Amino acid sequence: MTIVIFIAAFLVAIGILVAVHEFGHYWVAKKLGFKVLRFSIGFGKPLLKRVGHDQDRTEYCLAAIPLGGYVKLLDEREGDVDPAELHRSFTRRPVTHRIAVLLAGPAMNLIFAALLYAILAMAGNEIVKPFVGQVRLDSPAAAAGIRSGDEIVRVGDYQVPDTEELQIDLLRAVSGNAAIPIVVRRDGAEIALTIHLAADARELTEPGRLLSGLGIDLSTWRADTRVESVPSGSAGERAGLRVGDKLVSVDAQRIANIAQFIDTVSAAPDKTLSIGVERGGAKLTLTVAVPRVMDQGRAIGRLGITLAEGERSWPAGYVETRRSGPLEALDVGARKTWEMSALTVQMLWRILTGEVSAKNINGPISIAEFAGISASLGLMAFLSFLAIISVSLGVLNLAPVPLLDGGQVVYQLVEAVKGSPLSERAQNFGQQVGIALLVVLMSLAFYNDISRHLN
């Protein structure tokens, strides 16, 4: 059932985002006098098709392969064109008009993201303030003087209102500096500190490694963690864990929630842990040898059991809901879209230069999982997911790669400068380079997806 939800959420998300993107191309093309032959969501054989009643008789299609879409314009390079309609062919329209049509798709994705962020701002965002829970000894955070209970209020030049922004700002700083200036609030006073990183901080940019690599555990929610299933032959079974056990501590350190338990076990491959358990009113201490498994090239611990979590609660003052009025929300949406776009460009460049791990590139499997998880969390979480992916889609399509909108814009700019189109040979070469780059990118994304699941 979970797989069905993930697939359904993924298809809905892709359908919405592709429709938004292609509508941008379609709407601007219509406004500027191009003849639109087809508007298709998906590739391949049309499953549904309707012909418009306007003079262009545009076909509107829903096709069999729902992983993209296209707007087909009249183009004499693709077949004979009625001389009476040559002026509406793509190649006969002014270069500025062609560029406008090409940019309209990515622009519509960014506008859509800004509107989604504005809706989220008006609906109210529940934010978690970045209070430090624990600091691991002999870690960069401990060496910097960060203490439990500190509230991190600034990273570099950026204010930190919540835990999401904290991780974005730390990622930006880690991938660009050997030392990270931060400001914490402690006992009402603001204190400037500096986190010094090891010579190779690239590992910190891998998914899930940032805060743990710095030695910081943020204060988090509290909720009962119980054992949901104990498969036969698992490390949990060998330790004596049973379905229904309440997990209360690891090595005498209380466990706040399911995430903290998983993180503690994951950090202890090949080690022996003492797990405090409540069972039927009795308190027990079980000893478990944590086996090692490999996850994306690194060793982690895993007990092989599944867990369930009770109702969550937060310490007073750690969580607040922020709502904006309509005009303020539009400003929030525009600023958030700009920030996420700039961060996407920055991270892509740093992946290319090797400063950020390429393991951050996700393929359709991971995106489907994120879609399903966000959908299961509710409408607001799903809208937030759509906004993030819409920004990524808009920014990536602006890349100067021949198969993408940005690459086609480059072709038009070259034509404007030299006064004639690029030769067919040059365009074919560009297409081959673009295909090769996209194959490499998709191969890496699929490798990351499959590697993560196999491990």
Side-chain angles (χ1 to χ4, degrees):
M1 187 64 180
T2 301
I3 294 177
V4 173
I5 293 173
F6 282 15
I7 293 174
F10 174 70
L11 293 179
V12 169
I14 292 298
I16 291 172
L17 296 176
V18 168
V20 166
H21 182 92
E22 299 304 334
F23 178 76
H25 292 311
Y26 165 85
W27 186 77
V28 173
K30 284 277 192 181
K31 290 296 182 182
L32 294 179
F34 292 78
K35 183 171 183 177
V36 180
L37 302 178
R38 176 176 287 184
F39 181 119
S40 179
I41 305 301
F43 299 113
K45 183 179 179 180
L47 301 177
L48 298 172
K49 182 165 71 173
R50 185 177 71 84
V51 178
H53 299 298
D54 59 356
Q55 64 173 356
D56 289 348
R57 305 287 292 170
T58 304
E59 294 180 346
Y60 301 92
C61 303
L62 183 64
I65 305 174
L67 296 178
Y70 62 92
V71 170
K72 184 176 182 180
L73 304 177
L74 184 68
D75 194 328
E76 61 198 274
R77 297 170 298 181
E78 298 178 3
D80 294 334
V81 175
D82 186 338
E85 292 192 319
L86 267 177
H87 68 287
R88 301 189 67 196
S89 172
F90 181 81
T91 55
R92 299 299 180 98
R93 305 303 296 165
V95 170
T96 53
H97 287 191
R98 285 180 254 161
I99 291 175
V101 170
L102 291 167
L103 291 178
M108 191 61 73
N109 279 122
L110 297 177
I111 292 170
F112 182 63
L115 290 175
L116 289 177
Y117 283 128
I119 291 170
L120 291 168
M122 285 188 291
N125 289 320
E126 188 177 77
I127 67 166
V128 181
K129 294 183 179 180
F131 284 94
V132 177
Q134 295 179 339
V135 179
R136 195 181 71 246
L137 296 176
D138 300 324
S139 67
I146 298 173
R147 299 179 189 174
S148 177
D150 285 350
E151 180 186 0
I152 302 174
V153 296
R154 180 182 286 273
V155 175
D157 295 328
Y158 298 91
Q159 292 287 346
V160 180
D162 54 46
T163 54
E164 177 187 351
E165 190 65 32
L166 171 66
Q167 297 192 66
I168 291 174
D169 294 340
L170 283 175
L171 180 60
R172 184 189 287 116
V174 163
S175 59
N177 301 284
I180 306 174
I182 69 168
V183 175
V184 301
R185 185 176 291 124
R186 182 186 302 161
D187 299 327
E190 293 192 353
I191 303 170
L193 304 172
T194 301
I195 301 175
H196 294 279
L197 305 177
D200 183 12
R202 189 170 176 271
E203 284 189 5
L204 296 177
T205 67
E206 294 181 10
R209 297 294 300 276
L210 180 58
L211 290 175
S212 60
L214 294 175
I216 299 173
D217 285 333
L218 295 177
S219 290
T220 184
W221 69 91
R222 299 188 179 102
D224 290 346
T225 300
R226 295 187 181 275
V227 178
E228 189 173 59
S229 70
V230 185
S232 177
S234 66
E237 184 196 41
R238 293 192 295 272
L241 288 171
R242 298 180 187 174
V243 174
D245 283 350
K246 177 182 175 182
L247 308 176
V248 296
S249 65
V250 175
D251 286 346
Q253 298 292 318
R254 289 197 64 82
I255 295 298
N257 53 47
I258 190 171
Q260 194 175 68
F261 181 82
I262 292 172
D263 288 345
T264 302
V265 173
S266 296
D270 296 330
K271 294 182 180 179
T272 300
L273 299 177
S274 296
I275 299 179
V277 171
E278 290 184 5
R279 179 186 301 163
K283 294 183 178 182
L284 308 173
T285 299
L286 305 178
T287 301
V288 57
V290 182
R292 169 194 296 256
V293 299
M294 298 304 295
D295 180 21
Q296 294 192 4
R298 65 187 181 98
I300 65 170
R302 189 162 291 169
L303 299 184
I305 62 177
T306 57
L307 304 172
E309 190 175 64
E311 185 177 352
R312 296 182 176 185
S313 63
W314 288 88
Y318 279 40
V319 178
E320 65 180 45
T321 300
R322 293 182 178 175
R323 287 187 175 86
S324 302
L327 293 179
E328 183 187 6
L330 290 174
D331 179 61
V332 169
R335 284 190 289 106
K336 183 70 172 178
T337 301
W338 171 256
E339 290 170 5
M340 295 304 293
S341 300
L343 180 66
T344 301
V345 172
Q346 190 177 50
M347 291 300 107
L348 285 172
W349 175 251
R350 289 179 177 175
I351 287 173
L352 289 174
T353 58
E355 295 178 65
V356 171
S357 172
K359 292 179 181 179
N360 288 286
I361 298 175
N362 291 310
I365 298 174
S366 294
I367 294 173
E369 285 183 337
F370 297 146
I373 291 170
S374 64
S376 67
L377 292 174
L379 178 60
M380 292 300 106
F382 188 64
L383 293 182
S384 180
F385 165 79
L386 283 179
I388 293 170
I389 301 300
S390 194
V391 169
S392 298
L393 188 60
V395 171
L396 287 175
N397 267 283
L398 290 174
V401 177
L403 289 181
L404 302 178
D405 295 325
Q408 296 301 313
V409 169
V410 172
Y411 282 172
Q412 306 310 315
L413 291 174
V414 171
E415 178 178 339
V417 171
K418 68 191 292 282
S420 61
L422 277 173
S423 67
E424 186 174 338
R425 180 179 179 184
Q427 291 191 43
N428 288 337
F429 176 74
Q431 297 282 54
Q432 292 169 358
V433 172
I435 291 171
L437 289 174
L438 290 180
V439 166
V440 170
L441 181 64
M442 289 305 299
S443 298
L444 178 59
F446 272 111
Y447 172 80
N448 286 342
D449 281 356
I450 294 169
S451 174
R452 185 165 56 86
H453 280 81
L454 288 179
N455 288 324

